[in-house]
Amino acid sequence: MKADPCLKEAVTSFLHELADVRLASKHTVSAYRRDLSRFTEHCGEERVLKTITRMQVQDWLVHCHASGLAASTLARRLSAVSSFFDAAVHAGWCETNVAAGVRPPKQPKRLPRTLPPEQTQALMHQTDRASDCRDLALLAVMYGCGLRVSEVVGLNLHDIDMHQFELRVFGKGRKERIVPLPQGAIQYLQAYLAERIAPAEEQAVFLNKYSKRLSVRSVQRMLKDRALTTGADISVTPHRLRHSFATHLLAGGVDLRAIQELLGHASLATTERYTHLDITKLTEVYDQTHPRAKKRTG
């Protein structure tokens, strides 16, 4: 690429690097593409990259804010632009990251939404769906191991170690981790694998009716349908199951750093959200049951 690329050329090159070199997921690449295309439209596709200023980044953010976007969306868009300029500096296309130091609006702190244990149990009730054996195995693995939905659909047969009762999981950025398989999940998984039919070259664990790898969207749809059938909470999502896994472990006395390793969080600060959730629930129980709390509220 020429020494002074235009914004469109630089963004295209960055997205190729993100997908082919950094091995980011399709979802991540797609999100970056959407955010950077909006930034490109605002600044002008043919604009020489090194002529873009911090003021223009701020102006773009103000423009986005005026359209009524949530603070979390603005933060994500700014993060995408900042990552792009980091790569541009590294490539020698510009001297500084003009998005660095630009602050997005403050985001309200939101605690992860979880399901109570009885709701996760309800999801495991048997149904008359043709895919019930597969669905039960998938749910048992996803909830029992705290996996992201992209991680569970990305599982291959050679990632399962039935002798050591472990799974090899590839998380964000293809970062590998080993997670233990609970006994209940092993039983459901063995039952499913015994009836799994697929061509030898198809290594995906969880398959659709065409014997191809199951998609993220299919898992999301399956959860909603299953909740309606079993009477479970229809607001269930794959990520709520992951949050529930962490919260239930914490309530059971599992060490926070162990939960961090199981979830594959790069930072302990991300995992610490669950301690706030636990304290919130503890406070609710206190207010409802403790005699001193009753006197205070009375």
Side-chain angles (χ1 to χ4, degrees), residues 149 215-226 236-238:
V149 63
S215 70
V216 167
R217 184 71 188 98
S218 294
V219 176
Q220 294 168 336
R221 190 165 48 244
M222 177 272 288
L223 266 180
K224 297 292 184 184
D225 292 344
R226 194 171 191 85
V236 63
T237 64

Coordinates of all heavy atoms in Angstrom, one line a residue, residues 149 215-226 236-238:
V149 N -21.6 -18.7 23.4 CA -22.3 -19.4 22.3 C -21.3 -19.7 21.1 O -21.4 -20.8 20.5 CB -23.6 -18.7 21.9 CG1 -23.2 -17.3 21.3 CG2 -24.4 -19.5 20.9
S215 N -25.2 -23.1 13.8 CA -24.9 -21.7 13.8 C -25.3 -21.0 15.2 O -26.1 -21.6 15.9 CB -25.6 -20.9 12.7 OG -27.0 -20.9 13.0
V216 N -24.7 -19.9 15.5 CA -25.0 -19.1 16.7 C -26.5 -18.8 16.7 O -27.1 -18.9 17.7 CB -24.1 -17.8 16.8 CG1 -24.7 -16.9 17.8 CG2 -22.7 -18.2 17.1
R217 N -27.0 -18.3 15.5 CA -28.4 -17.9 15.5 C -29.3 -19.1 15.8 O -30.4 -18.9 16.4 CB -28.7 -17.4 14.1 CG -30.1 -16.8 13.9 CD -30.3 -15.6 14.7 NE -31.7 -15.1 14.7 CZ -32.5 -15.4 15.7 NH1 -32.1 -16.0 16.8 NH2 -33.8 -15.0 15.6
S218 N -28.9 -20.3 15.3 CA -29.7 -21.5 15.6 C -29.8 -21.8 17.0 O -30.9 -22.2 17.6 CB -29.2 -22.7 14.8 OG -29.3 -22.5 13.4
V219 N -28.7 -21.6 17.8 CA -28.7 -21.9 19.2 C -29.6 -20.8 19.9 O -30.4 -21.2 20.8 CB -27.3 -21.8 19.8 CG1 -27.3 -21.9 21.3 CG2 -26.4 -22.9 19.1
Q220 N -29.5 -19.6 19.5 CA -30.3 -18.6 20.1 C -31.8 -18.9 19.9 O -32.6 -18.8 20.8 CB -30.0 -17.2 19.5 CG -28.6 -16.7 19.9 CD -28.2 -15.5 19.0 OE1 -28.7 -15.3 17.9 NE2 -27.2 -14.8 19.5
R221 N -32.2 -19.3 18.7 CA -33.6 -19.6 18.4 C -34.0 -20.9 19.2 O -35.1 -20.9 19.7 CB -33.7 -19.8 16.9 CG -35.1 -20.0 16.4 CD -35.2 -19.8 14.9 NE -34.2 -20.6 14.2 CZ -33.3 -20.1 13.4 NH1 -33.1 -18.8 13.3 NH2 -32.4 -20.9 12.8
M222 N -33.1 -21.9 19.3 CA -33.4 -23.1 20.0 C -33.8 -22.8 21.5 O -34.7 -23.3 22.0 CB -32.3 -24.1 19.9 CG -32.5 -25.4 20.7 SD -31.9 -25.3 22.4 CE -30.1 -25.3 22.2
L223 N -33.0 -21.9 22.1 CA -33.2 -21.5 23.5 C -34.6 -20.9 23.7 O -35.3 -21.2 24.6 CB -32.1 -20.6 23.9 CG -30.9 -21.1 24.6 CD1 -29.9 -20.0 25.0 CD2 -31.2 -21.9 25.8
K224 N -34.9 -20.0 22.8 CA -36.2 -19.3 22.9 C -37.4 -20.4 22.8 O -38.3 -20.4 23.5 CB -36.4 -18.2 21.8 CG -35.4 -17.1 22.0 CD -35.7 -16.3 23.2 CE -34.7 -15.1 23.3 NZ -34.9 -14.3 24.5
D225 N -37.3 -21.2 21.8 CA -38.3 -22.2 21.5 C -38.4 -23.2 22.7 O -39.5 -23.6 23.1 CB -38.0 -23.0 20.2 CG -38.1 -22.2 19.0 OD1 -38.7 -21.1 19.1 OD2 -37.6 -22.6 17.9
R226 N -37.2 -23.6 23.2 CA -37.2 -24.5 24.4 C -37.8 -23.9 25.6 O -38.5 -24.6 26.4 CB -35.8 -24.9 24.6 CG -35.7 -26.2 25.5 CD -34.3 -26.7 25.6 NE -34.4 -28.0 26.3 CZ -34.6 -29.2 25.7 NH1 -34.8 -29.2 24.4 NH2 -34.7 -30.3 26.4
V236 N -34.4 -15.9 28.3 CA -33.1 -16.6 28.3 C -32.3 -16.4 27.0 O -32.9 -16.3 25.9 CB -33.3 -18.1 28.5 CG1 -34.1 -18.8 27.4 CG2 -32.0 -18.8 28.7
T237 N -31.0 -16.2 27.2 CA -30.1 -16.1 26.1 C -28.9 -16.9 26.4 O -28.6 -17.2 27.6 CB -29.7 -14.6 25.8 OG1 -28.9 -14.2 27.0 CG2 -30.9 -13.7 25.6
P238 N -28.0 -17.2 25.4 CA -26.8 -17.9 25.7 C -25.9 -17.2 26.7 O -25.3 -17.8 27.6 CB -26.1 -18.0 24.3 CG -27.2 -18.1 23.4 CD -28.2 -17.1 23.9

